[in-house]
Every structure is written in C-alpha cells, then in structure tokens.
Amino acid sequence: AGEPEAARACFADAAARARAAGDAVLLARAALGHAGLAVTIIAVDHGTVALLEEALAALGDREPVLRSELLARLAVELYYAPSRDRCEALSSEAVAVARTAGDPRAVAAALNARHVALWRPDRLRERTATADAMIAAAREAGDPQLELQARNWRVVDLFEAGQMAEWREEVRRHGDLATQLRMPSFTWYTPLWNAVAALNAGRWDEAAELRERARAEGGRAGDDNADLFAEMLIAAEAMLRGEFEKLDRALIEDKIAHSPAGMAWRASYAWELAATGRPDDAREQLAIITAGDYAALPFDANWPSALAESAEACVLLGAVEPAAVAYRHLLPYADVTVTAGRGVVTYGSTQRLLGSLAAVLGRTDDAVAHHEAAIRTNEAAGFTVWAQHSRDALGHIRPRRGGEQPVPSGS
C-alpha cells in the first residue's frame, strides 16, 4: 500500500518474536518482509543485511526454497557493497538452490537477484535473457508480482540496447500490470518513463509535467528512487539544452561525498565544471576519475554514464590523453545506448561520444563516421535532441576535413 516504514516496523516486531521463539522459518519470512517488495538500489541497508544474514544462519540447509529467497534478497541488498563479488556469488547460489528445489516462484525470485548482480555494461545480453527467464518462471508460478519486477528489468535492458519500439511496448505492459495489481511501488514508473521519452524528443513541458507526477506518485509509494530519478531528469534536461548553470551543484557535491556511486557523480561534476568555465577544477576532478585507467570507477551500472560524462569533460577541455583512454573504453559499446539509473537518463548512442572524442584526437574521418552513425541510431530511437548534437558537431568537423587540426566541438 506504499507504507514501507509501517511495514518494516511490523516485520521487525515479527522478527523479534521469531527470535524469542527460536522459529527460524518465521524469522526468515520476517527478514524477507523487512527487505521490502521492490528493488531500490541506493545504498547498503546494514540493518536489513544483518537481519537476512541472521535468518540464513538460523535456517541452515533446511527449507531450500526459503533459503534461496534469503540468498536472493541478500544479493540485492549487497549490490553497492565495497566488493561486488559476494553479490554475484549469492545470486548464483540462489538460482542453483531454487532450481534444485524445483520451485518456479523461488527460481523467479532468484533470477531477480541474478539480474541485479549482472547489472554492468558487459552483461547486457545475459541480463536480457535473465529477465525473459524470470517472466517465464513467474508465469509458471502464477505470481504476477514477480512478473512485474521482471518486466521492470526488461524495460531497463531494452532502453540500454536502444530497442525503443520494443521498449515502448514493454513500458505499456509494465504499466498495465502494475495498475492491475494496484501496486504504487511500480505504477509511478509509467509517468517516469514517459517523461524520459518526452525529454529526449525535446518535448520539455510534457517531460516536466510527467517527471513531477512520477516524483509525487513514487514519493507516496515510499520509494527513495522517485526523488533521485526526478532530480536526474532535471539534470539531464540541463545537459541536453546546454544549460549547465541550472544544475544543482550542491546536490552533486553531496552525492560525491555520501553516495555509494560517488565516483560516478564526480564524472558529471567534471563535465559541469568544464561547461561552466572552471577548467582547472574540471581537470582536477577528471584526474581523480581517470587515475590508473579509471581504476577508482567501479565496473557496475553507473560505469557507462560515468565514462560518458568523463568523455564530455575531455571534449570540452581538449584533453587528448584522457580522451584517448575514454575512447578505448567506450569503443566496445559503440552499438548500445549510454544510460544511467533505471532507464532514466541517456546520452544517446555511444557513437556520438566516440565521434566527439575522435575529433579531439584529430581523427577526423572516424569522427564523421561515428557522428553519422549516431544520427541514424538516435533518430530511430526517438532521441532527436541527441541526434541534433551530432549534426552540430559535424558542422564543426566537416569544414576541417583534410585541413587543419579539428577544434573540439563540445557536443
């Protein structure tokens, strides 16, 4: 019903009673309830992690289905832990235990955790297959709530793959099912994703109205992602329109200091500083991000957008060496869409970024080829604003083909 704090208090009480009674099964169920319904990945909730670990220890090898569900939820909760290895290992074990038990609902729940663990740029195909398998298992189990979570993931995967016709259809399916189940923790994604589509097509007023509707509905559902995603869309509009002075610098600095994705926020900070006339500060931030071949940047869901934002800073600064490193890292992902959040922010086709980086490196023919590919891809996806960015960049690059060193376009 969108009252998570009241629910958590009840589950904490149930856990205390289970602990006092020595009832491991009840403790496990209380721990799962305390973790919640949806997957909100913002920071590690140490209280929930401790309760899940306590329940696992108490349960032992009994009740394999319940054990699988505990392993799965613990994997989700540990996504932003300092080491990502445990998240992947737990999710893999959860799937194996569930399949051995032969329970399709447990399999679906475990695949949900597996999708979280695989949320990194090089595992897109595996994630998509995992979401499809989760839908099949949820339907076999007759559990529409788990099917809804799987469709939520499928929207994210399709967005990253740039398959926007399928994406729009999946957004519709997700919204219909969320409405049918009357689950506010999922219904707010419909205006959010519609705001994303409107924003990247340059329909600014429509995007703002939908964004604030999503913020309000998600807030009423008690989902901490709602406010975060709304602020990300505000920042995305400023970047799309080149209005960097409108960015909330205090918010970015707070995220750098306190968010588990602080290094990724630092990349957007470097871009913002470069765009607002603070090149020395931008170079300082860029040096932190790119040190040791981007060693400080975790290879997770935030990596593509952080690389993209670093690339934008390199372009504006004309920073050749870090531009070469960014180009090398982004090239394997030339055919996907750069995204951030859960299908919330995009910088369009990776080809656009490669084009701008190639221009900085003096590789004019490559720059033109990348930008032309970006225009085709972004237009087909409905990202008309990003397509225009590539057209503007080509206007700077083409007159210089065969002539003097190209000037960074800044696009």
Side-chain angles (χ1 to χ4, degrees), residues 22-253:
D23 190 330
V25 171
L26 182 58
L27 180 62
R29 290 176 177 157
L32 289 168
H34 191 273
L37 294 172
V39 178
T40 300
I41 306 172
I42 294 179
V44 177
D45 183 334
H46 295 287
T48 295
V49 167
L51 187 54
L52 289 166
E53 290 180 327
E54 179 189 359
L56 271 170
L59 193 65
D61 293 329
R62 294 171 289 166
E63 302 284 344
V65 168
L66 201 51
R67 178 173 178 78
S68 171
E69 291 175 342
L70 288 169
L71 289 166
R73 190 68 204 198
L74 184 57
V76 170
E77 296 294 335
L78 289 173
Y79 181 78
Y80 271 135
S83 171
R84 309 298 161 90
D85 294 342
R86 193 175 177 212
C87 172
E88 183 150 357
L90 286 165
S91 70
S92 181
E93 183 182 356
V95 173
V97 172
R99 284 180 171 156
T100 299
D103 187 302
R105 186 187 181 283
V107 170
L111 289 170
N112 178 45
R114 188 66 183 156
H115 194 286
V116 172
L118 295 171
W119 202 359
R120 40 187 269 186
D122 62 337
R123 309 292 279 275
L124 176 57
R125 290 185 180 179
E126 193 175 349
R127 273 185 280 135
T128 304
T130 299
D132 291 342
M134 186 179 170
I135 291 172
R139 286 184 165 180
E140 183 183 352
D143 191 324
Q145 180 183 309
L146 279 169
E147 179 184 345
L148 179 59
Q149 178 63 72
R151 293 201 175 280
N152 191 280
W153 288 130
R154 197 163 188 274
V155 170
V156 176
D157 297 338
L158 290 168
F159 189 72
E160 187 173 338
Q163 298 175 16
M164 299 308 292
E166 292 182 55
W167 178 82
R168 284 185 282 273
E169 178 60 20
E170 196 60 54
V171 168
R172 184 194 63 77
R173 287 178 183 148
H174 177 279
D176 288 348
L177 186 55
T179 300
Q180 175 188 329
L181 295 176
R182 300 175 67 186
M183 295 188 68
S185 56
F186 286 92
T187 53
W188 71 275
Y189 278 96
T190 299
L192 177 80
W193 286 326
N194 287 334
V196 171
L199 180 66
N200 288 285
R203 303 194 303 271
W204 314 118
D205 292 342
E206 178 186 347
E209 189 275 328
L210 288 164
R211 178 194 73 222
E212 293 308 314
R213 179 178 152 199
R215 189 203 299 264
E217 292 183 10
R220 286 195 294 272
D223 194 327
D224 291 336
N225 271 332
D227 194 56
L228 173 64
F229 289 169
E231 291 301 319
M232 287 173 66
L233 281 176
I234 291 172
E237 180 177 344
M239 292 168 177
L240 271 168
R241 304 179 78 167
E243 298 173 343
F244 289 87
E245 69 282 354
K246 292 184 178 180
L247 290 174
D248 187 343
R249 184 175 292 172
L251 171 68
I252 297 173
E253 291 172 345

